[in-house]
Amino acid sequence: MSEVLRVVLVDDQALMRAGFRALLDAEEGIEVVGEAADGEQGVALVRDRVPDVALVDVQMPVMSGIEATRRIAADPALAAVRVVILTNYGLDEYVFEALRAGASGFLLKDTEPADLLQAIEVVARGEALLSPSVTRTLIGEFVSRPPDRATAPGLDRLTRREREVTALAARGLSNEEIAVHMVISPLTAKTHISRAMTKLGARDRAQLVVFAYESGLVEARLR
């Protein structure tokens, strides 16, 4: 990742793109390197520019943001690109599908400017933009879904400690909170998380959370 964070905007609303561009271009250390008006254009643009972060609208013509995210995540040449899904609708059915497709998180389009800027920096570092409320939403999604190990292979590759940190991450704990819970250092917690992600082929913590529930490693509960 370069010192200047390179961002691509993918949204079918020109006014929305203009607003995001004005905000981001005014911020030192962030550069908007391209815009696209639909998912298909967005994938092509990301492949051409290879940004640090792609802000992608969830609902667009030609190709949805979820499908665009899936194609970006599946391209080895774009492994370093982090996708943040933009939505008007909050914690809806698209959140789960977006994260499953490979998004690092999601933001409401009416989010505060400071929160948007922080989100870009967070996902550019390879961290997941998952607040406790989003994690609870994911848990709710899985309550009615039985574990499907066929869609989440690899559990047997993890050591006992790696399974434990993965389960704690899936409950929304930070590295520091995991360290306290397991009585280890934050660096050790981070190492376990990194090794689990590598073994499972997870792009970031968001993918790790999805895996934890799909594999049955964590039992979904509403309370």
Side-chain angles (χ1 to χ4, degrees):
M1 187 179 69
S2 62
E3 288 187 15
V4 175
L5 296 180
R6 303 170 74 253
V7 179
V8 157
L9 305 175
V10 186
D11 195 306
D12 61 324
Q13 298 179 38
L15 188 60
M16 188 64 64
R17 294 199 310 273
F20 280 127
R21 177 181 274 277
L23 172 65
L24 297 178
D25 280 345
E27 185 70 14
E28 185 177 354
I30 296 179
E31 178 187 4
V32 176
V33 296
E35 299 180 25
D38 62 55
E40 188 173 69
Q41 292 178 9
V43 173
L45 181 63
V46 168
R47 285 173 176 160
D48 180 59
R49 306 294 168 82
V50 193
D52 297 301
V53 177
L55 298 181
V56 180
D57 185 20
V58 71
Q59 290 184 303
M60 292 181 291
V62 185
M63 181 190 294
S64 73
I66 292 175
E67 179 57 28
T69 299
R70 186 174 290 113
R71 296 192 184 193
I72 291 169
D75 190 336
L78 305 177
V81 178
R82 297 292 175 251
V83 176
V84 175
I85 289 288
L86 300 171
T87 176
N88 287 316
Y89 309 107
L91 305 177
D92 58 21
E93 69 273 15
Y94 295 112
V95 174
F96 168 74
E97 291 302 328
L99 294 173
R100 194 174 188 182
S104 294
F106 87 104
L107 285 172
L108 292 176
K109 287 188 176 182
D110 63 355
T111 191
E112 292 295 323
D115 292 336
L116 172 64
L117 297 173
Q118 181 183 27
I120 290 173
E121 293 177 356
V122 166
V123 297
R125 292 196 301 265
E127 299 176 25
L129 191 63
L130 287 180
S131 67
S133 62
V134 175
T135 301
R136 284 195 296 272
T137 298
L138 281 175
I139 292 172
E141 283 282 347
F142 281 105
V143 167
S144 59
R145 302 171 188 231
D148 184 359
R149 295 180 186 277
T151 64
L155 187 62
D156 57 345
R157 301 176 199 161
L158 302 184
T159 65
R160 180 182 61 81
R161 296 293 262 180
E162 288 164 355
R163 292 188 189 197
E164 187 174 356
V165 296
T166 297
L168 292 172
R171 294 191 172 100
L173 273 66
S174 67
N175 287 345
E176 290 72 20
E177 291 167 334
I178 291 172
V180 171
H181 184 91
M182 296 180 64
V183 196
I184 57 179
S185 72
L187 180 58
T188 299
K190 182 178 180 180
T191 298
H192 284 315
I193 289 288
S194 296
R195 286 176 178 168
M197 287 170 54
T198 298
K199 289 181 179 180
L200 299 173
R203 288 166 63 90
D204 54 29
R205 290 173 84 100
Q207 292 288 286
L208 207 58
V209 169
V210 171
F211 169 84
Y213 287 104
E214 285 194 326
S215 67
L217 181 61
V218 174
E219 179 183 353
R221 301 186 185 92
L222 282 174
R223 300 177 184 274

